[in-house]
Amino acid sequence: MTHAAHPLLLGCIADDFTGATDLANNLVRAGMRVVQTIGVPDGPLDAEVDAVVVALKSRTVPAAEAVAQSLAALHWLQAQGARQIYFKYCSTFDSTPAGNIGPVTEALMDALQCDFTIATPAFPDNKRTVFKGYLFAGDVLLNESGMQNHPLTPMTDANLVRVLQAQSRRKVGLIDHVAVAQGAAAIRARIAQLRGEGVGIAIVDAVSNDDLLRLGPALAGMPLVTAGSGVAIGLPANFGIAPSQAASALPAACGLRAVVSGSCSLATNRQVANFIAAGRPALALDPLQLAAGADVVGQALAWAEPLLGDGPVLVYSTADPSTVKSVQGRLGVEEAGAMVERAIAAIARGLVERGVRQLVVAGGETSGACVQALGIAQLQIGGQIDPGVPWCHAASAAAGGSGLHIALKSGNFGSDDFFTKAFGQL
Ligand code: ADP
C-alpha cells in the first residue's frame, strides 16, 4: 500500500477535464507532487504523490449522475488514504438551480459527515474575484460577463449566496472580506459564528492571492473544501509543503514532436498562424472532406511521417469563426464537432505510433478525445508552460505502454508562440 509510506494528503474531485489540469497545475506550483486521473481509476494508486485530481465530466450531466460520479471518486480517494477532499468547479461557478455544485457539495458533506464547508470560485490570477458574495469576471459582474448567455449554464445572478442557496438544502452564508482581510484567526471566528447560526456552506470573498493565502490556514483540518482552482494555492502549506522544483520534475523528454489542434478560439488561431509564420510544417484538415468520407487521417499521417525527423509538425482543424459557422451550417454543430474530434484523436494516436513522444493538443474537448484515443489513464503533472497549461507525463497504450510528454491546452490559454515555445521548455 503506497499510502502508508507516502500518505495522500489531498484528494481532489474536478467536474471537468481541463479544470482538473488547472487545479493540478496550481497544486504543483505550490509544491505538491500531483497525478491527474481520467475518471475514477480501477485499481489503487501506484505513484508516490501528495495529491490526486480525479477528472470527471460531471459539470452539466443530470445532478443525480454528478452525485453518483463524485461519490465514486470520493470512495476511491478515501481508499487511498486522502486526508482532505477538494471539490473543484469552474471559476465562473457554472451551474443551474438544479445543480450541480450544490447537490454534489451536499452529497460529499453527507458522506464525510461534515457539517461545514466553504465555497468560492475566486481565482484572482485569472481575474475571477468575489466581493460581498458577488462574483466578478474581469471588471464586470458575472451576469454581465457573457456568462448570462451560456448555452448550458446561463449565470444570470452574480450573488453566489443566492445562487448556491437555490441549489442547496443547507443554509448558505458568507465569510466576507472584512474577516478574510484580517487573517486566519478572524476567518475561523467567522466560521464559528456562522456554524452557530446554522449555516452549512459559506461563500468566501477573495480579491487577491493574499486573500487566498490568508484563507488557507483557516481550512486546515476541514474534511471538505469546495472551490475553483484558486484556493489550492493556500493549502499545501497546511501540510508543511513549500514550492519546489522537485514537485514539477518529469522524466527526461525524448522522441519526435507534434502539435494537433481542434480548437477554434481566437488564441489558438493566433498560435496556428504563429507556428506557420515561424516556417514550421502545418497541415489543415477540411471537415467537409472528412464528411465526404475521404481518408483524411491516413493522408495526414502520410504527410507528417517524413517531416517528423526535422522538428515539430502541426495538424489542425482550427479555423476562423465564419469558416466554422459555414461548416456547422452544412454538417450540424455537434456532428461537425464530434467528427473533427474523432479525426484529430486518430491522428494523435497515429503520430504516437510513429514515434511522437512530445505532443501538444489544443482544445478542451479535443484534449478529452485525444487522451482517450491514446489510452491514457493518468497524467503526472509537471512544470507550467503558460498559466493553466503544464507539461504532463503519461503512459500511453499507443506508445506501447511507455511514457510520453503531453500538454493539453484549453482554447483561450497560451501565448501566441505557444506551439514552438512549449517544446523549448522540456
Ligand atoms: P476549445 O478549448 O477552444 O473550446 P474544443 O476542442 O473544446 O476547443 O472545442 C472545439 C470544437 O470545435 C470541437 O468539438 C472540434 O471538433 C470542433 N471543431 C474544430 N475545428 C472545426 C472546424 N473547422 N469546423 C467545425 N468544427 C470544428
Side-chain angles (χ1 to χ4, degrees):
M1 297 291 276
T2 42
H3 74 255
H6 295 275
L8 181 60
L9 304 176
L10 204 55
C12 310
I13 304 167
D15 70 352
D16 93 332
F17 186 86
T18 42
T21 309
D22 180 13
L23 171 61
N25 185 55
N26 277 353
L27 291 171
V28 168
R29 291 201 303 144
M32 283 186 157
R33 295 163 303 164
V34 184
V35 156
Q36 174 180 341
T37 70
I38 317 304
V40 182
D42 298 329
L45 183 64
D46 64 359
E48 291 175 3
V49 290
D50 305 305
V52 174
V53 183
V54 177
L56 302 177
K57 244 175 171 287
S58 58
R59 184 170 294 167
T60 55
V61 302
E65 207 176 302
V67 165
Q69 284 187 31
S70 305
L71 289 176
L74 171 68
H75 294 142
W76 184 83
L77 290 165
Q78 286 178 312
Q80 313 311 311
R83 296 213 207 139
Q84 186 172 41
I85 300 297
Y86 190 123
F87 170 41
K88 152 74 171 77
Y89 36 73
C90 189
S91 68
T92 42
F93 216 69
D94 296 17
S95 57
T96 70
N100 292 333
I101 295 174
V104 169
T105 297
E106 294 202 279
L108 294 172
M109 291 177 80
D110 291 344
L112 288 161
Q113 294 179 313
C114 150
D115 68 351
F116 187 89
T117 190
I118 60 131
T120 183
F123 189 13
D125 278 351
N126 242 352
K127 299 189 165 53
R128 307 286 188 267
T129 54
V130 181
F131 186 67
K132 300 287 177 192
Y134 287 81
L135 174 58
F136 290 81
D139 297 327
V140 298
L141 286 165
L142 177 66
N143 58 306
E144 299 168 8
S145 68
M147 276 302 295
Q148 69 273 27
N149 300 319
H150 191 283
L152 302 175
T153 52
M155 301 301 290
T156 55
D157 186 358
N159 183 312
L160 298 183
V161 176
R162 269 196 309 254
V163 169
L164 189 56
Q165 189 65 80
Q167 41 180 297
S168 305
R169 286 175 283 115
R170 287 171 174 80
K171 193 168 161 191
V172 178
L174 175 65
I175 301 172
D176 88 352
H177 197 252
V178 175
V180 174
Q182 290 176 61
I187 297 169
R188 281 197 208 97
R190 177 67 181 148
I191 289 174
Q193 183 189 8
L194 288 169
R195 273 192 152 121
E197 294 168 8
V199 168
I201 313 171
I203 301 293
V204 187
D205 279 357
V207 299
S208 66
N209 281 350
D210 286 342
D211 286 339
L212 295 173
L213 294 171
R214 278 189 286 268
L215 174 63
L219 305 177
M222 197 177 272
L224 174 70
V225 170
T226 88
S229 65
V231 168
I233 69 172
L235 294 185
N238 291 342
F239 300 100
I241 291 177
S244 76
Q245 287 285 325
S248 63
L250 296 179
C254 61
L256 303 172
R257 302 162 160 189
V259 184
V260 293
S261 175
S263 160
C264 297
S265 71
L266 287 174
T268 306
N269 270 286
R270 287 197 299 270
Q271 288 153 356
V272 167
N274 186 288
F275 188 87
I276 294 168
R280 300 302 318 161
L283 180 72
L285 300 182
D286 179 355
L288 296 177
Q289 269 198 315
L290 257 178
D295 179 20
V296 171
V297 172
Q299 288 164 11
L301 292 172
W303 168 84
E305 194 156 13
L307 299 171
L308 283 168
D310 296 325
V313 304
L314 164 66
V315 179
Y316 65 100
S317 67
T318 307
D320 60 70
S322 66
T323 311
V324 173
K325 269 229 152 58
S326 116
V327 167
Q328 288 173 335
R330 293 173 70 167
L331 304 178
V333 174
E334 277 174 22
E335 291 76 0
M339 197 184 60
V340 172
E341 281 168 36
R342 269 198 307 276
I344 291 184
I347 290 166
R349 186 178 176 96
L351 289 169
V352 170
E353 286 166 351
R354 284 159 181 76
V356 167
R357 294 291 179 272
Q358 303 173 39
L359 181 68
V360 171
V361 183
E365 293 299 323
T366 306
S367 291
C370 288
V371 162
Q372 193 175 19
L374 292 171
I376 290 174
Q378 62 178 54
L379 300 149
Q380 171 90 34
I381 308 297
Q384 168 175 298
I385 305 164
D386 267 328
V389 201
W391 271 113
C392 306
H393 187 262
S396 160
S402 70
L404 64 88
H405 289 77
I406 185 165
L408 306 166
K409 187 196 83 73
S410 78
N412 274 312
F413 285 179
S415 62
D416 289 357
D417 61 349
F418 188 90
F419 292 163
T420 41
K421 174 174 90 176
F423 297 103
Q425 296 192 8
L426 271 183

